[in-house]
């Protein structure tokens, strides 16, 4: 597996975390929160906002708990949820600020339980950026808003996704695996083009950064590729797929967070 790579420093990730929460809060403010979210089957906008806000509080709580061997139980947190659902956008934005401020105060090297390879607060700053970004996109799609995403943030999101997938827990889903088949991903469109190669193994997968040939290649605009890899958009003419397309389908079937 490739070593975790952070495109920005910890404080900047925390600022991005707040910025994404603000965009999400603005998108749903005044909206019908009973609106269903097609990209999260069974969810309404209200449930989505609660989920994201709880994740924000949970991330800070895991840092506050220090180097624990098990995660904080989210149900144990005092979340301060509003009685009136119309207050959820404001609750979300305020909670993001509190959590991000705590992560900054703790510092990037503060020990914490995480489900990734980095057992420190810096994991949670980056994770909450992309957790919030993806669900902000979910909300915007549900409301008929075309999501706008910075290409460099999309590249970082792809890299982060590959880093955290093994530790997320997939319920009844099984991580993709194989016998050496490889998928190459190549993005363009920002200041930081991205390239990754994923190799399937009997136990799961390994991945590296950089150029290589694969049995399958997915190439295109960074935002389009990021949405596809997160199963928020289908493969369209915005990207190119070369080689064994069923391998890409196999990968997508078990990896979106």
């Amino acid at each position: 597996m490739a070593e975790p790579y952070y495109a920005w420093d910890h404080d900047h990730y925390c600022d991005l975390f707040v910025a994404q929460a603000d965009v999400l809060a603005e998108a749903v403010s005044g909206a019908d929160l009973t609106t269903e979210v097609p990209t999260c089957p069974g969810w309404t906008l209200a449930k989505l906002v609660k989920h994201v806000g709880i994740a924000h509080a949970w991330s800070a709580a895991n840092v506050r708990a220090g180097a624990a061997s098990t995660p904080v139980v989210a149900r144990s947190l005092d979340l301060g949820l509003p009685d009136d659902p119309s207050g959820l956008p404001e609750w979300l934005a305020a909670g993001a600020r509190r959590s991000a401020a705590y992560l900054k105060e703790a510092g990037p090297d503060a020990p914490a339980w995480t489900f990734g390879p980095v057992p420190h607060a810096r994991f949670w700053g980056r994770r909450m950026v992309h957790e919030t970004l993806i669900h902000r996109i979910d909300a915007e799609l549900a409301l008929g808003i075309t999501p706008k995403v910075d290409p460099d943030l999309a590249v970082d999101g792809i890299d982060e996704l590959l880093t955290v997938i093994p530790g997320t827990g997939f319920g009844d889903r099984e991580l993709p695996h194989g016998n050496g088949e490889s998928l190459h991903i190549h993005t363009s469109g920002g200041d930081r083009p991205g390239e990754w190669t994923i190799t399937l193994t009997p136990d799961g997968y390994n991945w590296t950064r950089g150029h290589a040939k694969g049995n399958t290649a997915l190439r295109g605009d960074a935002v389009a590729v990021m949405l596809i890899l997160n199963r928020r958009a289908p493969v369209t003419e915005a990207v190119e797929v070369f080689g064994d397309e069923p391998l890409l389908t196999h990968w997508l079937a078990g990896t979106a967070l």
Side-chain angles (χ1 to χ4, degrees):
M1 294 288 187
E3 289 296 316
Y5 170 82
Y6 289 79
W8 301 288
D9 65 31
H10 177 65
D11 281 6
H12 188 60
Y13 275 111
C14 292
D15 291 340
L16 289 171
F17 160 20
V18 171
Q20 290 300 317
D22 283 347
V23 178
L24 172 54
E26 182 178 356
V28 300
S29 183
D32 179 359
L33 295 179
T34 66
T35 300
E36 294 185 356
V37 182
T39 48
C40 297
W43 285 23
T44 62
L45 286 176
K47 184 170 182 176
L48 181 147
V49 172
K50 289 177 184 178
H51 168 85
V52 176
I54 291 169
H56 293 169
W58 187 63
S59 68
N62 279 301
V63 176
R64 193 173 288 111
S69 59
T70 57
V72 170
V73 177
R75 290 190 300 274
S76 69
L77 301 177
D78 181 8
L79 299 170
L81 282 162
D83 294 329
D84 186 337
S86 66
L88 284 171
E90 182 178 355
W91 169 82
L92 175 75
R97 278 170 171 71
R98 285 194 300 272
S99 294
Y102 181 77
L103 293 177
K104 278 187 175 183
E105 180 185 347
D109 297 322
W113 178 90
T114 73
F115 56 84
V118 178
H120 299 104
R122 67 169 65 88
F123 169 90
W124 287 113
R126 190 188 195 198
R127 175 85 287 270
M128 288 301 101
V129 172
H130 296 294
E131 175 78 4
T132 311
L133 169 64
I134 287 299
H135 288 314
R136 183 262 283 185
I137 291 168
D138 290 327
E140 289 175 332
L141 292 173
L143 292 167
I145 300 169
T146 300
K148 295 180 180 179
V149 181
D150 176 78
D152 291 329
L153 187 57
V155 170
D156 192 68
I158 295 168
D159 198 273
E160 199 259 358
L161 179 69
L162 294 174
T163 302
V164 302
I165 282 171
T168 52
F170 282 80
D172 293 334
R173 280 192 293 155
E174 186 177 42
L175 276 175
H177 59 279
N179 294 292
E181 303 90 340
S182 58
L183 168 64
H184 182 65
I185 300 166
H186 188 169
T187 64
S188 59
D191 294 331
R192 185 185 154 219
E195 289 196 73
W196 306 264
T197 300
I198 301 160
T199 302
L200 300 184
T201 69
D203 297 324
Y205 72 95
N206 295 314
W207 66 283
T208 59
R209 299 182 185 93
H211 182 72
K213 291 189 178 294
N215 299 103
T216 306
L218 173 64
R219 183 173 69 190
D221 171 78
V223 177
V225 172
M226 183 272 290
L227 292 174
I228 289 167
L229 291 176
N230 281 278
R231 299 197 305 181
R232 263 55 183 194
V235 176
T236 67
E237 63 274 5
V239 300
E240 296 176 292
V241 179
F242 303 95
D244 182 10
E245 191 162 346
L247 179 60
L248 174 60
T249 302
H250 174 60
W251 173 260
L252 295 176
T255 55
L257 300 186

